[in-house]
Amino acid sequence: MPVVDVRLLAAPAFSLSIGVDGAMRYAGVNDSLCRLTGLDVGDLVGRTPAECLPPEIAAHVETQYRHCMKLGSIYEYEEHLDLPGGAKWWRTALSPILDPATGTATGLFGMSSDITDRKRDELELRSAAFKDSLTGICNRRRFDRDLDLAVSGALEAGRIFALVLADVDRFKPINDTYGHAAGDAVLQELAGRLAKGIRSTDRLARIGGDEFAAILWVDSEAATDEAMQRLRFHLDEPMRIQDHAMRVGMSFGTVLWRPGMTTAGILAEADHAMYREKRAIAA
């Protein structure tokens, strides 16, 4: 070992030897990989991942190496590693080095490429696809996905949550009186105020023209009431839009998930609750 002299390769590459005790040690690392990772050849060669890498990273890469050994064939994967050279996304291809007599793996050969720019572009596109362009919060597409996941989690694991639907009171007169630009500014302001009232684990979305929704991770009616107090807290303050002072209210419909409720069922119940509150305000 190593069968392949990785120092002769231009692409980032490494090799590992596998001892009779099953321990894997880096047998070769080339300069290209060292430059990108910020790791030093002398700190790697002859050592196991656990001896030269941070514990979480060592456990992760060793899991990948052993998976390749178990497969006994080429194995490719993507990973995000925070190394001395900086946090980067990598695409790595591993190949076991087999003993021709026994067919057992005596080592591994790996080649990696830095795909950070591509992954960043992918993540930005994915984020844009799930973001409401006007308010910057989640859009209907993301909300539908999150609600399906929440209901699935509740059905399978009993993780309780509350669904909140909200609608702006008398929004049409705002558009008619002050114009659509003022209406957009109101929606942006409301989105910001609602966002202040939810926790980082909750989800807020704009799902229609003047309709908002939230998924709140609560497990009781009492916790739901507390969460709704936080959500409503910043809405009472008047807002100033285009030099006009406005008080803009919202009607809410809140439902705590119950065993057996489907996505359609909880949506319908929250919608009915919201319109009951809206009718009470209008009365």
Side-chain angles (χ1 to χ4, degrees), residues 132 135 137-138 143 164-168 186-188 190-192 194 204-214 250-252 274:
D132 176 55
T135 62
I137 62 176
C138 297
F143 167 75
V164 182
L165 296 184
D167 188 80
V168 182
V186 167
L187 295 175
Q188 290 169 334
L190 288 172
L194 290 171
L204 175 67
R206 179 182 173 224
I207 60 172
D210 63 332
E211 297 175 283
F212 295 82
M250 300 190 79
S251 297
F252 292 87
M274 181 183 70

Side-chain angles (χ1 to χ4, degrees), residues 143 146-147 150 161-164 201-204 213-217:
F143 167 75
D146 288 341
L147 182 58
F161 70 97
L163 171 64
V164 182
T201 53
D202 299 329
R203 182 74 72 189
L204 175 67
I215 297 170
L216 308 176
W217 293 106

Side-chain angles (χ1 to χ4, degrees), residues 45-252:
V45 173
R47 298 186 178 185
T48 67
E51 292 171 340
C52 59
L53 297 173
E56 288 186 5
I57 293 178
H60 166 75
V61 298
E62 185 159 337
T63 297
Q64 302 291 0
Y65 299 159
R66 295 200 179 279
H67 182 66
C68 179
M69 288 171 54
K70 184 177 179 180
L71 288 176
S73 61
I74 293 175
Y75 170 51
E76 296 187 43
Y77 56 93
E78 294 181 0
E79 59 191 346
H80 185 262
L81 301 178
D82 191 356
L83 295 167
K88 292 183 176 67
W89 277 95
W90 299 91
R91 182 166 185 82
T92 298
L94 296 176
S95 177
I97 300 171
L98 304 177
D99 184 328
T102 64
T104 59
T106 59
L108 288 175
F109 167 67
M111 292 187 67
S112 297
S113 56
D114 180 356
I115 59 169
T116 304
D117 290 341
R118 176 173 68 78
K119 290 297 291 188
R120 186 182 294 117
D121 291 343
E122 287 179 2
L123 292 172
E124 287 177 357
L125 286 172
R126 190 178 304 166
S127 176
F130 287 132
K131 184 179 292 185
D132 176 55
S133 59
L134 177 65
T135 62
I137 62 176
C138 297
N139 60 14
R140 181 64 190 247
R141 181 181 178 186
R142 179 61 184 263
F143 167 75
D144 287 342
R145 192 183 79 160
D146 288 341
L147 182 58
D148 283 340
L149 289 173
V151 170
S152 296
L155 289 169
E156 295 170 9
R159 189 183 181 199
I160 309 302
F161 70 97
L163 171 64
V164 182
L165 296 184
D167 188 80
V168 182
D169 297 331
R170 294 177 286 275
F171 185 64
K172 187 175 184 300
I174 295 174
N175 272 333
D176 292 344
T177 303
Y178 303 107
H180 289 284
D184 287 349
V186 167
L187 295 175
Q188 290 169 334
E189 178 68 20
L190 288 172
R193 294 186 180 195
L194 290 171
K196 292 178 181 177
I198 66 169
R199 298 165 302 181
S200 59
T201 53
D202 299 329
R203 182 74 72 189
L204 175 67
R206 179 182 173 224
I207 60 172
D210 63 332
E211 297 175 283
F212 295 82
I215 297 170
L216 308 176
W217 293 106
V218 292
D219 57 7
S220 67
E221 292 288 356
T224 302
D225 291 341
E226 290 179 11
M228 287 306 300
Q229 289 177 17
R230 292 194 301 268
L231 203 58
R232 293 176 185 267
F233 181 77
H234 298 281
L235 297 179
D236 290 336
E237 300 174 12
M239 61 180 71
R240 193 157 197 87
I241 305 294
Q242 296 181 351
D243 292 329
H244 299 287
M246 301 181 188
R247 284 192 177 274
V248 182
M250 300 190 79
S251 297
F252 292 87

